[in-house]
C-alpha cells in the first residue's frame, strides 16, 4: 500500500472510531482537560535534558532541545558530526545500561513475545544507511518570522536536521525473527525516556506507529551513528531510523515494538504531527514525509567585507529523491543564479553546493531554492498549519556587507 493510501485509511479508521491505543474519545477528553485549565506541572526534569556539551558556536538551545547552527556545518563533510547533531528531546536523555537493556517485540501481529538483547541484535546481519533525521517542525520559527503567523511548538530555525551514517539491523529481520504474521498492519516502537506530560495529562512513552510495509522496506534498528556506538542523546543503545519520514518516527531509546493486526494510534499521530488549520479536515490531516528545504551554512546577520569576493555554501534536501538543482538569489529574490553542486552524495540524502558572491556595502537578503529529481520545489510561502509543521518555503536570510 502506498504511504498516502495508508494515511487515508487511517484517517477513515480514526473518524469511525476504529482505533487502538488512542481514540478520538481520548483526544476529546484530553482537549477538554487542557481547555479546563487542568495544567499540572509535570515531573521535575533533570538539570540538563541533554548529556553532550552544547557550545554556543555549534548549537542554539531551545528548551529540552538544541538546534545545529548552520554556520557549524560549513567545511564539514556529508555527515553531521555528533558534536553538532541537533537533539530533540520530549523530556530528557535517559541513562540506559546496555548490558541489561532489551527490546520486547510483541502484539497481535507477531506470534508470542520475543526479547532481543543488544548482543542478539549485533549478531544479526549489519547494514549501514545514510539517513536524515529531521524534525517535522524544522524551520517552524519562519512561520512567524517570515509569514507573520502564530503557530505553537518549538521555534526551530533550519537546524533541526542531521544526516548520519546509521548502522544496525534491518527491522524486517527482527520482525521476521519475532514471528511476524500475515495479519500485521502496524508497528509502533516506544521509547524508554520518561512519559511525556502535556497539559497535566500523562500521554505515556513517546511512540508513533508506521505501517508494516514501511517497516519491511527500509527501517533500521540502529546501534551506531557515524561509526561509533549511538551517543546517549541520540538513542543509546538502540534507536529506530525511518528514512524520509518525519523525525518523530525514529524513536530513540527503543524498549518495545508493538506489532499489531489493527491500526494503532498514539497522541503522536492524532494530537501532534497532523496538519490542523483552515483547509484541513477538522480532525487534522495525517502526514509522514518531509519536504524540500535549503539552508546556507551561515548564521543570519553574518557580516561580509564589501567589495571582496566570498564563497557562499549550503545544503538542500528532499524526502522525495536527490536534488536536481539549487538556485540562489543575493538580492532578495529579484535575480537567481544556479549554485554549483559539489561532493559525494551517498544515498542522495542531501546536496552540498556553493556559489561566489561579491557583495556591495549595505544589507542584503540571501535566498536558496532547491528542486528535486521529481520536480518538487520550494514555494515562496509555506502552507499554514496551527502546529507549524513542514515549512518548505524559501527562507530569507538577512546579512550585511561593510
Ligand atoms: N524516545 C524518544 N524518541 C524520539 C524523541 C523523543 O523525545 N523520545 N523525539 C523524536 C523527535 S520529535 C525527533 S525530531 C527525533 C530527533 O532525533 P535526534 O535527537 O537524534 O536528533 O527523535 C525522535 N525520537
Ligand atoms: Mo521532531
Amino acid at each position: 500500500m502506498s504511504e498516502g493510501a495508508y494515511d487515508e485509511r487511517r484517517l477513515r479508521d480514526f473518524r469511525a472510531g476504529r482505533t487502538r491505543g488512542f481514540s478520538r474519545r481520548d483526544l476529546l477528553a484530553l482537549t477538554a482537560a487542557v481547555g479546563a485549565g487542568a495544567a499540572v506541572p509535570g515531573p521535575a526534569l533533570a538539570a540538563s535534558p541533554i548529556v553532550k556539551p552544547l557550545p554556543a558556536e555549534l548549537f542554539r538551545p531551545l528548551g529540552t532541545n538544541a538546534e545545529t547552527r548552520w554556520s557549524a556545518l560549513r567545511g564539514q563533510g556529508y555527515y553531521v558530526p555528533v558534536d553538532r547533531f541537533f537533539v530533540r528531546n520530549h523530556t530528557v536523555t535517559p541513562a540506559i545500561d546496555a548490558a541489561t537493556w532489551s527490546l520486547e517485540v510483541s502484539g497481535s501481529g507477531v506470534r508470542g513475545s520475543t526479547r532481543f538483547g543488544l548482543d542478539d541484535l549485533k549478531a544479526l546481519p549489519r547494514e549501514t544507511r545514510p539517513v536524515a533525521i529531521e524534525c517535522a517542525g524544522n524551520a517552524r520559527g519562519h512561520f512567524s518570522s517570515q509569514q507573520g503567523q502564530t503557530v505553537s511548538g518549538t521555534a526551530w530555525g533550519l537546524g533541526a536536521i542531521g544526516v548520519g551514517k546509521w548502522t544496525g539491523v534491518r527491522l524486517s529481520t527482527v520482525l521476521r525473527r519475532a514471528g511476524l504474521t500475515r495479519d500485521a498492519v502496524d508497528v509502533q516502537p516506544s521509547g524508554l525516556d520518561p512519559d511525556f506530560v502535556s497539559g497535566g495529562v500523562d500521554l505515556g512513552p513517546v511512540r508513533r506507529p508506521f505501517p508494516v510495509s514501511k517497516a519491511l522496506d527500509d527501517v533500521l534498528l540502529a546501534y551506531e551513528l557515524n561509526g561509533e556506538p549511538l551517543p546517549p542523546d541520540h538513542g543509546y543503545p538502540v534507536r529506530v531510523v525511518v528514512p524520509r519520514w518525519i523525525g518523530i518516527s525514529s524513536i530513540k531509546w527503543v524498549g518495545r515494538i508493538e506489532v499489531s493486526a489493527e491500526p494503532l494510534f498514539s497522541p503522536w499521530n492524532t494530537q501532534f504531527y497532523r496538519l490542523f488549520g483552515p483547509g484541513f479536515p477538522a480532525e487534522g490531516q495525517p502526514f509522514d514525509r518531509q519536504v524540500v528545504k535549503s539552508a546556507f551554512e551561515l548564521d543570519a546577520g553574518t557580516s561580509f567585507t564589501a567589495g571582496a569576493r566570498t564563497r557562499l555554501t549550503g545544503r538542500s534536501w528532499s524526502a522525495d529523491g536527490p536534488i536536481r538543482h539549487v538556485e540562489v538569489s543575493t538580492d532578495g529574490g529579484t535575480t537567481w543564479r544556479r549554485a554549483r553542486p559539489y561532493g559525494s552524495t551517498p544515498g542522495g540524502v542531501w546536496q552540498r553546493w556553493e556559489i561566489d558572491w561579491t557583495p556591495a556595502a549595505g544589507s542584503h537578503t540571501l535566498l536558496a531554492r532547491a528542486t528535486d529529481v521529481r520536480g518538487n520545489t520550494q514555494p515562496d510561502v509555506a502552507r499554514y498549519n496551527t502546529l507549524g509543521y513542514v515549512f518548505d518555503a524559501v527562507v530569507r536570510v538577512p546579512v550585511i556587507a561593510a
Side-chain angles (χ1 to χ4, degrees):
M1 193 187 322
S2 78
E3 289 166 12
Y6 170 80
D7 276 341
E8 283 310 310
R9 198 194 64 195
R10 308 176 61 78
L11 182 58
R12 283 198 303 276
D13 286 336
F14 189 59
R15 280 183 175 146
R18 285 193 300 270
T19 61
R20 244 180 51 62
F22 196 82
S23 70
R24 232 179 135 179
R25 272 215 351 248
D26 296 334
L27 180 58
L28 293 176
L30 184 63
T31 313
V34 174
V40 174
L45 296 181
S48 171
I50 296 174
V51 170
K52 69 184 175 185
L54 302 172
E57 67 278 16
L58 302 184
F59 289 103
R60 191 164 74 96
L62 285 157
T64 55
N65 318 296
E67 80 170 295
T68 305
R69 278 190 190 280
W70 267 94
S71 52
L73 294 188
R74 187 168 169 111
Q76 296 295 321
Y78 188 73
Y79 298 109
V80 175
V82 168
D83 70 355
R84 59 204 70 194
F85 204 107
F86 88 102
V87 182
R88 179 0 179 178
N89 278 353
H90 279 71
T91 60
V92 298
T93 293
I96 296 177
D97 178 3
T100 55
W101 172 89
S102 70
L103 171 67
E104 178 191 314
V105 180
S106 57
S108 57
V110 279
R111 281 183 284 276
S113 168
T114 312
R115 280 194 171 273
F116 298 85
L118 185 56
D119 290 342
D120 300 329
L121 296 183
K122 286 186 172 171
L124 294 170
R126 281 164 71 87
E127 189 155 312
T128 297
R129 282 179 182 275
V131 177
I133 303 287
E134 182 181 12
C135 190
N138 191 23
R140 177 186 285 126
H142 298 293
F143 275 106
S144 60
S145 68
Q146 191 162 300
Q147 302 189 175
Q149 294 161 333
T150 305
V151 293
S152 52
T154 302
W156 300 106
L158 274 164
I161 179 168
V163 173
K165 191 169 76 172
W166 305 91
T167 300
V169 53
R170 280 171 164 266
L171 179 54
S172 61
T173 305
V174 170
L175 292 181
R176 292 206 170 95
R177 296 233 158 196
L180 184 70
T181 70
R182 285 162 166 265
D183 300 335
V185 295
D186 260 356
V187 165
Q188 179 162 262
S190 40
L192 293 168
D193 40 339
D195 285 2
F196 183 61
V197 177
S198 173
V201 182
D202 187 336
L203 298 178
V206 177
R207 63 201 187 282
R208 190 180 200 261
F210 53 85
V212 165
S213 56
K214 181 68 177 169
L216 296 180
D217 179 17
D218 57 1
V219 176
L220 279 187
L221 289 174
Y223 44 76
E224 285 178 15
L225 169 56
N226 298 346
E228 301 287 332
L230 219 52
D233 297 311
H234 300 289
Y236 180 85
V238 176
R239 87 176 294 169
V240 180
V241 172
V242 183
R244 297 184 300 277
W245 280 38
I246 53 177
I248 185 62
S249 314
S250 294
I251 293 296
K252 304 192 276 188
W253 315 295
V254 60
R256 183 189 172 207
I257 298 180
E258 177 175 7
V259 185
S260 173
E262 300 158 85
L264 294 173
F265 292 85
S266 87
W268 287 268
N269 72 335
T270 55
Q271 186 188 2
F272 316 122
Y273 302 98
R274 286 169 90 94
L275 304 173
F276 294 98
F280 292 112
E283 58 277 78
Q285 174 78 42
F287 72 103
D288 306 300
R289 297 276 291 238
Q290 292 289 7
V291 290
V292 190
K293 289 195 185 76
S294 301
F296 288 93
E297 294 172 338
L298 49 78
D299 296 321
T302 295
S303 180
F304 294 96
T305 305
R309 189 159 76 164
T310 182
R311 178 155 294 178
L312 300 172
T313 61
R315 304 181 190 225
S316 299
W317 60 99
S318 164
D320 229 12
I323 294 298
R324 185 192 285 151
H325 58 78
V326 179
E327 300 155 290
V328 167
S329 173
T330 52
D331 57 9
T334 309
T335 59
W336 296 84
R337 289 184 291 150
R338 283 279 172 97
R340 276 188 307 276
Y342 74 89
S344 62
T345 56
V349 184
W350 60 9
Q351 176 66 59
R352 288 171 283 166
W353 45 260
E354 59 188 20
I355 193 166
D356 291 339
W357 179 45
T358 307
S363 2
H364 303 274
T365 303
L366 306 180
L367 293 82
R369 178 173 62 205
T371 303
D372 70 17
V373 288
R374 296 250 184 127
N376 301 304
T377 189
Q378 300 184 248
D380 294 336
V381 179
R383 183 159 179 202
Y384 172 75
N385 63 97
T386 59
L387 300 181
Y389 297 124
V390 288
F391 186 95
D392 58 351
V394 176
V395 170
R396 305 174 67 86
V397 186
V399 297
I400 50 172

